[in-house]
Amino acid sequence: MEPLTKLIQTANYPIVFTGAGMSTESGLPDFRSKDRGLWEKFNPTELANVQALYHNKEEFTEFYQYRLSTLNKYEPHKGHLILADWEKRGIIKGIITQNVDAFHHDAGNENVMELHGSFRTFHCHECKKEFDRDDYFAGQSTCECGGTIRPGIVLFGEQLPQDTFQRAEEEAAKADLFIVFGSSLTVSPANMFPLVAKERGAKLVIVNREPTDYDRYADLVIQDKSIKEVLVEVAKQL
Ligand code: APR
């Protein structure tokens, strides 16, 4: 029996927290995996940064059209579908995610807190006019007002959506089991949620291929199996 299965079966309010590692088995690169993360190829401070909208517009648009092209190619994997099934059956109560791929939403989860926004919407950075994702992908990057069109994600240097952040804080505080799937837990303030849960007595589980600075606080760390393998195995035992 997977030790994680036991923890899920005895918990009343399990909350899942996901990072880019949740979507690598869909084909999407994560950010910091050794020699394959996105930040090994691109410089986040130059591109995923609100300043880039003004000083680096062409590269900014190229980068996000590239990211959108990878998103359009891939889809949620079995692990995402298992989490959606678990929410429907009340096995988990919600998902706090740093991911902007909207794969939890596409898989059918409802209580999803997208801390960093998502690629579902695009808007003009100046006048906030909404734009269609396909038009952006087709190359439309400037609004009639002259502003730059950008994805509805949180760029470095920007505030997280306060209402989503609030809800995530409430959910993490209610959790008696907090399961991290696929995050290096290096980016704040998102990386505070595992401790918000832990400090209120929740059990903390970290399923991540590489060690994180939060492993020392975890009740269970799973590094020897991929996220999809863990979810498929536990789903068989639940
Ligand atoms: N199974 C288990 N672990 C995996 C798998 C997998 N299939 N694939 C990747 N991982 C692990 C990697 O070892 C890595 O430690 O997932 C972790 C992903 O960490 P990051 O790439 O840092 O992604 P994340 O933690 O989501 O980054 C947070 O940083 O750039 C910003 O806004 C961006 O939301 C992102 C934030």
Side-chain angles (χ1 to χ4, degrees), residues 20 24-25 31-32 39 98 116 183-184 208-210 227:
T24 53
E25 288 167 280
F31 296 98
R32 297 174 183 82
W39 298 150
Q98 300 170 96
H116 295 163
S183 178
S184 60
N208 201 65
R209 208 170 30 209
E210 292 162 329
I227 289 165

Side-chain angles (χ1 to χ4, degrees), residues 18-22 24-25 30-33 39 44 98-99 116 154 156 182-187 207-212 225-228:
T18 61
M22 180 73 218
T24 53
E25 288 167 280
D30 65 14
F31 296 98
R32 297 174 183 82
S33 265
W39 298 150
Q98 300 170 96
N99 297 340
H116 295 163
V154 177
F156 283 111
S183 178
S184 60
L185 297 172
T186 48
V187 172
V207 183
N208 201 65
R209 208 170 30 209
E210 292 162 329
T212 77
K225 287 189 198 117
S226 85
I227 289 165
K228 188 161 76 169

Side-chain angles (χ1 to χ4, degrees), residues 105-206:
H105 175 274
D106 296 346
N109 280 96
E110 309 218 332
N111 186 18
V112 183
M113 290 141 274
E114 294 174 324
L115 297 175
H116 295 163
S118 88
F119 269 107
R120 263 204 304 279
T121 62
F122 284 74
H123 62 271
C124 168
H125 187 65
E126 302 309 323
C127 71
K128 308 299 173 222
K129 180 172 184 281
E130 297 243 324
F131 285 85
D132 192 72
R133 170 176 162 142
D134 295 340
D135 294 336
Y136 186 81
F137 187 47
Q140 187 181 5
S141 61
T142 308
C143 174
E144 303 90 71
C145 79
T148 303
I149 300 170
R150 39 91 37 107
I153 64 173
V154 177
L155 299 169
F156 283 111
E158 285 186 316
Q159 275 268 348
L160 270 64
Q162 284 313 298
D163 50 342
T164 309
F165 191 83
Q166 192 80 41
R167 220 154 51 81
E169 215 162 11
E170 286 153 14
E171 293 291 87
K174 276 162 66 179
D176 59 352
L177 176 60
F178 194 88
I179 312 168
V180 176
F181 286 112
S183 178
S184 60
L185 297 172
T186 48
V187 172
S188 72
N191 61 0
M192 63 177 260
F193 290 111
L195 291 190
V196 165
K198 183 76 189 165
E199 277 153 14
R200 283 166 182 73
K203 291 258 187 289
L204 175 59
V205 177
I206 299 177

